[in-house]
Amino acid sequence: MGKKMLEVKNLKTKYVTRFHEDVYAVDGVTFSIEEGKSLGIAGESGCGKSTLALSMMGYYFPPLHYMSGDIIIDGVNISGMKPDDVRKTILGTEIAYIPQAAMNALNPTQKIIRFVEDVIRAHDPKADKKEIRERAQARFAELGLPKEVLEKHAVELSGGMKQRTVIAVSTILSPKVLIADEPSSALDVTSQKMVIKMMRELMEKGYIKSMLFITHELPLLYNVTDDIMVMYAGQIVERGSAKEMVFDPTHPYSHGLMGSILVPEEGTRGHKLAAIPGTPPNLKKPPDGCRFAERCKYARPECRFGVIPEKEFGEGRMYRCLMGLDELKEVYDNE
């Protein structure tokens, strides 16, 4: 087992609405990522993926609130740190976050080089302007971005180029952990491939030590990450290697998720798409027992009560369900 670059232990965070209602968006999440590895998180909209990403930054602002748990980056627990300390010593150097629609966050009145200067000077106020430019040119060139991009404004770049530029700027300080939240969404296929290629190069060249890639597309994660976790209603319901999760999912939700999309490697012949009935539970009042029970066609009365255990099997695999592996395999085979 390699060195753990990121550890999340029983993390719980919530949103507090203007009506003072608690929304338990991340509820008891535990996982880790080793150095040199990439982990994907998949799940439908509203399951808590982006909230988990924000929570791992340790940079909490209302309406998001920390409840309990640990976030450990390269051996340093950042959970109890003050926001200003996190911003000055952690963000950008230890962990970096690329949010959804990041390409639309660039100020259209500033040149790209100004964003690079802001990132570097946030940690080194005395950084020399010439040195920053040379450093940025070298990094952009290594990642396949023309150095001329640094002198352009965001409005002069295509969507794909803006997204790649945001990734390059965000990782200019070589963070140990990179969190990428839907980095290829809203892009055409060609631009998606270029973004994914760039993410791989960041890992291969050692500019980042580990990566968390968030998307709702399981097949995309198959081509990007080593392992995949599936999230549902604020909890992790299954984890395994990318190949196992795409071609042999265990949890009924993972199984249903894969049944509702096309996997290019499987082809389309004989593949019937099936939607998962119902809607996710209200996280203001999470249900007892399995949170997927109301939508699961295999659910039993006992699934709706008590704590649903996490079951480990194989090498690094886990699922959260009362049913055993043999029972699940049998019901899937009989479908």
Side-chain angles (χ1 to χ4, degrees), residues 34-101:
E34 295 178 7
E35 184 175 358
K37 297 293 184 179
S38 56
L39 173 66
I41 299 182
E44 61 194 311
S45 297
C47 70
K49 303 187 301 295
S50 295
T51 303
L52 175 60
L54 289 171
S55 300
M56 285 188 292
M57 301 294 290
Y59 202 48
Y60 297 97
F61 289 99
L64 181 61
H65 296 264
Y66 168 79
M67 295 175 65
S68 62
D70 297 308
I71 305 155
I72 304 168
I73 303 173
D74 195 18
V76 178
N77 194 332
I78 69 170
S79 303
M81 294 180 66
K82 296 178 180 179
D84 283 348
D85 292 336
V86 171
R87 180 177 58 82
K88 292 176 182 178
T89 63
I90 301 298
L91 300 185
T93 56
E94 300 298 304
I95 189 168
Y97 175 52
I98 301 172
Q100 292 188 45

Side-chain angles (χ1 to χ4, degrees), residues 101-146:
M103 61 184 178
N104 297 324
L106 294 171
N107 187 331
T109 66
Q110 289 190 353
K111 291 183 178 181
I112 301 303
I113 186 63
R114 298 292 173 260
F115 296 107
V116 179
E117 291 174 353
D118 289 345
V119 171
I120 292 178
R121 284 181 174 156
H123 294 272
D124 184 7
K126 297 181 180 180
D128 179 75
K129 200 168 186 177
K130 181 182 177 182
E131 185 180 311
I132 292 175
R133 181 177 296 275
E134 291 175 349
R135 180 175 176 181
Q137 288 177 342
R139 175 63 64 87
F140 271 49
E142 283 196 56
L143 294 175
L145 288 167

